[in-house]
Amino acid sequence: MVVIVGGPSSEKLGSDIAKRLDLPYINLESKVFPDDESYMKFPEEISEDDLIVIQSCFPKQDKRLMELLFILDTAKEFGVKNLNVVIPYLPYARQDKRFRAGEVVSNRSIGNLLYTIGTDLLLTVDAHQEESLKEFKMRSLSISAMPLLAEHLKSMTLSDPCIIAPDKGAANHAETISSILKTNCTFFEKQRDRITGKVETAKKDLDFRGKDIVIIDDMISTGGTIANVSKIAKNCGAEKIVAACTHALLVGNAEEKMRDSGITDIITTDTVPNQFCKISVAPIIADTLRKFIEL
Ligand code: R5P
């Protein structure tokens, strides 16, 4: 028998996936102590062979990760044989190599932790670099939410839209969206100062008069990357400018920064729950689980 557990960050997503798969859903009792330590409790000791744990690790990432490790470790202790872990927003994925000598490669360390604790299968959504999952020792897969974003964009009234990737890393996402919408796409060049974190985007001489623009990225953190591109697009005559991404972390004044730069709409998924979630990733996660686990 397979059962699904939603961690404290993904109770709704977890139960939606369980409904789609027609599987029993376990609700954990959880609370946070005054000193910020997490407490969790399974309703009873589970004895199933297969467990699917859903826990998105958006900020506070470390807390979400610790909660996930507690759940996995406890499930192993109860005797669960196969641990299938779904982390819709996989944290620390951007530090996937040693950019400067001596740096920690956080992405690899997260993979090692999950493997060591007993993870058999890891699913995530739009991992920052899909390639980096190959370093993980357990079977790992990134599911693309781009077709879902494209379907939502189709339902919006957009005039002769052009899809823009803010950097080369997001070019594949822009291509996926533009091939579904049958529109043009282009990508910008971005430089990030590895010490200050400041982002610079090279200007492009484009004519966007009479066009709406969709800027697509895997994630929006401080909104700086999107704001840079939006300002350039505005100067090139763009009308409506939509920011679309899979994971909208929206740190600090990200929304204000993007609005000030000319962004009219923000479209995102529920890998990070917030007011801009227009799309649920439950269907694509459920479909992928169906392919990998004998249900
Ligand atoms: C990095 O390459 C990512 O794909 C995003 O472009 C980046 O993380 C966005 O960060 P921010 O919103 O802080 O500019």
Side-chain angles (χ1 to χ4, degrees), residues 151-159 214 240 242 265 267:
E151 285 311 314
H152 184 85
L153 290 164
K154 256 191 202 169
S155 71
M156 294 174 71
T157 317
L158 296 172
S159 158
V214 177
K240 201 185 265 186
V242 179
D265 301 81
I267 313 289

Side-chain angles (χ1 to χ4, degrees), residues 94 128 167 190 192 199 217-226:
R94 283 169 292 178
H128 179 60
D167 51 40
K190 177 178 97 176
R192 189 183 286 275
V199 168
D217 211 344
D218 59 329
M219 60 184 293
I220 300 174
S221 178
T222 65
T225 299
I226 296 282

Side-chain angles (χ1 to χ4, degrees), residues 187-221:
F187 69 86
F188 280 44
E189 303 266 0
K190 177 178 97 176
Q191 293 282 347
R192 189 183 286 275
D193 185 310
R194 290 265 159 225
I195 295 164
T196 63
K198 197 169 181 305
V199 168
E200 299 222 347
T201 305
K203 291 206 170 59
K204 261 189 151 178
D205 193 15
L206 296 160
D207 185 0
F208 287 148
R209 281 173 300 176
K211 280 182 185 293
D212 289 336
I213 299 298
V214 177
I215 310 170
I216 180 81
D217 211 344
D218 59 329
M219 60 184 293
I220 300 174
S221 178

Side-chain angles (χ1 to χ4, degrees), residues 13 19 33 45 56 65 94 99 102 104 158 163 172 183-185 188 197 245 247 251 287:
L13 188 57
K19 273 189 207 126
F33 289 110
E45 299 207 358
S56 201
L65 275 168
R94 283 169 292 178
F99 299 97
V104 298
L158 296 172
I163 316 299
N172 60 334
T183 56
N184 288 327
C185 72
F188 280 44
C245 72
H247 316 288
V251 175
D287 287 349

Side-chain angles (χ1 to χ4, degrees), residues 226-285:
I226 296 282
N228 280 2
V229 176
S230 175
K231 281 182 206 155
I232 298 171
K234 196 98 203 132
N235 283 333
C236 296
E239 306 279 331
K240 201 185 265 186
I241 310 179
V242 179
C245 72
T246 306
H247 316 288
L249 304 182
L250 303 179
V251 175
N253 66 344
E255 184 193 351
E256 192 187 342
K257 199 186 286 175
M258 289 192 287
R259 298 271 185 217
D260 288 349
S261 73
I263 293 293
T264 49
D265 301 81
I266 301 167
I267 313 289
T268 188
T269 79
D270 57 355
T271 63
V272 185
N274 59 47
Q275 56 174 312
F276 302 107
C277 293
K278 307 274 190 320
I279 301 150
S280 177
V281 292
I284 53 174
I285 293 176

